[in-house]
Amino acid sequence: LCLCLFRIKDIGFEQFSKFCLTQEPTKMAAFLGYLFDTSPTSPVQCSVKQEWCKHYDVTYVEKELIKMISDLETQMGGLIEKLVSKAQGMVAAAAAKKEKAGITKVARKT
């Protein structure tokens, strides 16, 4: 969370993307999808924002954090797509490896 919100300006989006692509893609895609969802009913726009306002200045939350989330939404969408594709590729590769090894699914007894 700290890297996504407080340090992304320092490291730049390209370095941030490289870091994210080294992580487990399914988990990272879910996290980024949650954090950078800017729909009015998203948890970040509702409950999380309220919690942040308890700890940080309201102006800072709205003008810095929420604005940054909105500004990065498009770029994060592209990164999330890459992560999802990577995850799907990993699943397909694992299935192909099992198939190549001759491991097949056996039907369960009912």
Side-chain angles (χ1 to χ4, degrees):
L1 181 64
C2 180
L3 186 62
C4 291
L5 294 179
F6 301 110
R7 305 295 293 175
I8 194 165
K9 288 181 183 178
D10 297 335
I11 65 170
F13 187 77
E14 184 177 336
Q15 290 298 324
F16 177 77
S17 295
K18 287 179 182 179
F19 168 76
C20 289
L21 291 169
T22 65
Q23 304 304 305
E24 203 284 312
T26 305
K27 292 177 183 177
M28 187 58 71
F31 172 70
L32 293 176
Y34 173 84
L35 184 60
F36 289 93
D37 179 3
T38 58
S39 65
T41 58
S42 74
V44 171
Q45 297 295 331
C46 296
S47 57
V48 175
K49 181 180 173 181
Q50 291 173 358
E51 288 299 314
W52 285 344
C53 288
K54 290 179 184 177
H55 303 283
Y56 301 105
D57 181 59
V58 175
T59 305
Y60 174 75
V61 170
E62 291 176 355
K63 301 231 183 218
E64 293 292 327
L65 299 177
I66 300 299
K67 183 180 181 312
M68 183 183 355
I69 288 170
S70 296
D71 292 347
L72 290 172
E73 180 183 22
T74 303
Q75 287 179 299
M76 288 298 170
L79 177 57
I80 291 167
E81 287 178 18
K82 286 181 185 178
L83 289 163
V84 169
S85 293
K86 183 177 179 181
Q88 290 171 343
M90 291 171 65
V91 169
K97 185 176 178 180
K98 282 183 181 179
E99 188 176 306
K100 185 177 179 182
I103 300 171
T104 57
K105 262 190 165 177
V106 178
R108 290 185 175 178
K109 288 184 178 181
T110 55

